[in-house]
Amino acid sequence: MVDDRVEETARIVVVGAGQAGFSVCAKLRELGHPGPITLIGNESHPPYQRPPLSKGYLLGETTEERLYLRPLNFYEERGIDLKLSTDVQRIDRSAHEIMLSDGLRLGYERLVLATGARPRRLPAQMGGDLDGVCYVRNLADINSMSHRFRNGQQVLVVGGGYIGLEAAAVSAKLGLNVTLIEATPRILQRVASPETSNYFRALHAGHGVKLIEGVGLKILRGDNGRIKVAELADGSVVPVDFVIVGIGVHPNVELAEQAGLEVDNGIAVDVHCRTSDPAILAAGDCASFPWRAERIRLESVGNAIDQAEAVARTIMGLSSGYQAKPWFWSDQFDVKLQIAGLSSGYDSIVTRAGASNGISFWYYLGDQLLAVDAMNDPRVYMVAKRLIEAGQSPVADLVANFATDLKSLLGAKN
Ligand code: FAD
């Protein structure tokens, strides 16, 4: 435990009203912090879920209000002062104050940076400023692009990561003609095995998405400022009505950098989520934290919630250290992918066929189970998550045998 507990009257200020910022505030109240809490966000909406932006919300299956993590009265009832449409522009560490875009200064005893990440943008010299170049990060992004999703339109998706693949799936479902290009040799190369890439390649091809791997974008060309065609690195030309760019994100570290905090692939925090200034903590997509022998950043709802709650525990003097338990999901067409653990560094894969067309890929390093990708197999996911969190590694042959009862794996150690 660290004894960092703040006074009961201490003002906690949280910058960034996303999943992590929301979770810090909710957890602080749950743990009984009675002092003032201010949550400041530069978007105009109360904290909302981002995952549906590239899934149900993009499909038009859900409303904006249903994305909100809580209704506005949640904040009022708990005395959380929610300031929206307000940008935090600077931190004055010596005065323990922040400067806001409305000209106000606000003091803090503890400051939490939950500033998230923003999409990498296509540079103007590649046509990035043409009308019709879209990104999928904020509600405002989706609201401003939804009118483009008309049957028969030609959309080019740049980037074969989860966001690009989900946007491609929604576009195909809505009747658009979809081409997706990925510059590396295969989709999902950064995050998944060739087996998982093959699975999703076949899924998309089966729904009419044209996937082009190993070919990057050379330039987008337009007419009167509106996008018309994409020239690819192999010299081919694709006609396009609009483009969805999903080529990764940058963590929002500028506030921290200007304040002289340590930044290393994100705002660097210790195991108690404290930055190099112990009065300032960080959580979520913006924060990089110690993991095994490295420092990593995770872009997932699970991490945003768990790390934010760890921040709240540190502030309350209850921290026993943040242990990341990575999990993630993605929805594409009729497939739900659920991932437990982190696969980086694996040296072998075990395939397990599941019931009703489910399948899972189990990533091992030697005898150690690192991660599992489960496609339409929620039971495998549940068991794998428990195994990985408990540090248990079932024997590969048992896993691969469809006849092995899943629950029995929980007791079967290497
Ligand atoms: P964010 O949600 O980015 O929130 C940060 C907030 O801080 C933003 O509102 C930002 O505008 C604001 N901000 C930044 N700087 C300032 C400032 N100076 N002043 C005031 N406000 C500021 N994860 C999954 O686990 N599963 C999924 O299926 C999944 N799908 C996703 C689909 C999409 C389209 C996207 C974009 C993300 C998805 N994710 C998914 C990732 C997940 O949503 C993020 O990891 C999570 O939202 C991170 O939360 P956060 O609070 O750290 O950051």
Side-chain angles (χ1 to χ4, degrees):
M1 294 254 181
V2 281
D3 191 13
D4 271 1
R5 179 166 194 153
V6 292
E7 300 281 314
E8 292 203 335
T9 52
R11 175 182 291 280
I12 317 294
V13 176
V14 180
V15 185
Q19 179 70 65
F22 161 82
S23 303
V24 171
C25 299
K27 193 69 184 177
L28 278 170
R29 285 295 186 238
E30 192 189 310
L31 293 174
H33 179 64
I37 300 178
T38 306
L39 175 58
I40 307 170
N42 56 11
E43 294 184 64
S44 57
H45 314 276
Y48 59 88
Q49 310 169 52
R50 285 184 203 281
L53 296 183
S54 51
K55 309 176 180 76
Y57 188 71
L58 192 56
L59 259 177
E61 283 177 347
T62 188
T63 62
E64 198 169 296
E65 285 69 30
R66 293 194 65 171
L67 302 187
Y68 295 167
L69 292 170
R70 291 292 185 281
L72 279 173
N73 62 2
F74 173 90
Y75 305 91
E76 284 157 26
E77 283 163 8
R78 282 160 186 77
I80 297 168
D81 181 17
L82 179 61
K83 280 186 187 302
L84 299 175
S85 306
T86 306
D87 199 48
V88 176
Q89 298 186 324
R90 217 167 71 78
I91 304 170
D92 180 343
R93 284 169 55 195
S94 52
H96 273 220
E97 283 183 347
I98 54 170
M99 274 70 111
L100 310 182
S101 48
D102 58 12
L104 292 178
R105 295 173 77 100
L106 187 65
Y108 64 84
E109 264 80 36
R110 289 288 181 280
L111 180 67
V112 182
L113 300 178
T115 49
R118 60 182 183 279
R120 280 179 204 277
R121 298 202 161 248
L122 279 186
Q125 60 275 23
M126 284 179 78
D129 54 1
L130 288 169
D131 179 28
V133 177
C134 307
Y135 297 87
V136 186
R137 180 75 197 180
N138 296 329
L139 255 169
D141 294 333
I142 309 301
N143 292 343
S144 66
M145 74 197 269
S146 55
H147 70 279
R148 300 181 187 277
F149 283 74
R150 293 193 313 273
N151 201 359
Q153 292 279 292
Q154 307 279 346
V155 60
L156 174 72
V157 179
V158 180
Y162 289 119
I163 301 262
L165 288 168
E166 288 183 353
V170 169
S171 305
K173 270 184 161 176
L174 291 174
L176 284 77
N177 297 316
V178 190
T179 304
L180 181 148
I181 57 170
E182 166 55 52
T184 68
R186 61 180 172 88
I187 55 168
L188 299 175
Q189 171 151 311
R190 195 175 61 85
V191 286
S193 61
E195 285 80 350
T196 298
S197 302
N198 294 345
Y199 180 94
F200 283 98
R201 182 184 307 109
L203 179 71
H204 279 259
H207 286 85
V209 175
K210 185 173 178 202
L211 281 183
I212 305 174
E213 296 166 289
V215 178
L217 176 69
K218 189 170 159 214
I219 194 164
L220 299 173
R221 296 201 189 278
D223 189 8
N224 277 332
R226 253 194 75 69
I227 192 161
K228 275 275 176 257
V229 294
E231 287 180 25
L232 308 188
D234 63 0
S236 55
V237 175
V238 182
V240 283
D241 292 308
F242 70 104
V243 174
I244 301 174
V245 182
I247 52 174
V249 296
H250 289 291
N252 290 324
V253 297
E254 289 73 11
L255 258 187
E257 242 163 18
Q258 283 161 6
L261 300 175
E262 191 187 327
V263 169
D264 176 4
N265 174 36
I267 304 170
V269 296
D270 67 10
V271 70
H272 301 291
C273 308
R274 296 171 301 192
T275 68
S276 48
D277 176 343
I280 306 180
L281 302 96
D285 282 12
C286 68
S288 72
F289 59 94
W291 165 265
R292 302 192 176 131
E294 332 164 45
R295 172 168 286 287
I296 60 165
R297 220 165 42 72
L298 290 177
E299 293 157 18
S300 73
V301 166
N303 180 65
I305 297 172
D306 293 348
Q307 207 175 18
E309 294 190 346
V311 162
R313 280 192 292 276
T314 297
I315 292 172
M316 297 299 285
L318 299 170
S319 172
S320 50
Y322 175 54
Q323 296 289 336
K325 295 173 180 162
W327 58 273
F328 188 80
W329 80 96
S330 174
D331 297 330
Q332 295 166 45
F333 301 107
D334 52 352
V335 172
K336 179 173 276 298
L337 162 68
Q338 292 169 290
I339 303 172
L342 279 188
S343 60
S344 57
Y346 76 97
D347 59 14
S348 65
I349 291 268
V350 174
T351 301
R352 180 181 168 93
S356 335
N357 283 332
I359 189 166
S360 52
F361 301 122
W362 299 57
Y363 297 77
Y364 281 82
L365 172 59
D367 293 337
Q368 189 195 352
L369 177 63
L370 298 180
V372 174
D373 294 346
M375 274 68 74
N376 285 344
D377 204 336
R379 286 192 65 228
V380 157
Y381 168 72
M382 293 307 292
V383 168
K385 191 163 183 294
R386 283 177 60 187
L387 285 166
I388 292 164
E389 288 176 12
Q392 288 181 18
S393 300
V395 177
D397 287 351
L398 277 179
V399 167
N401 185 349
F402 176 68
T404 305
D405 177 50
L406 274 173
K407 281 215 177 113
S408 72
L409 294 178
L410 288 165
K413 295 177 199 171
N414 251 333

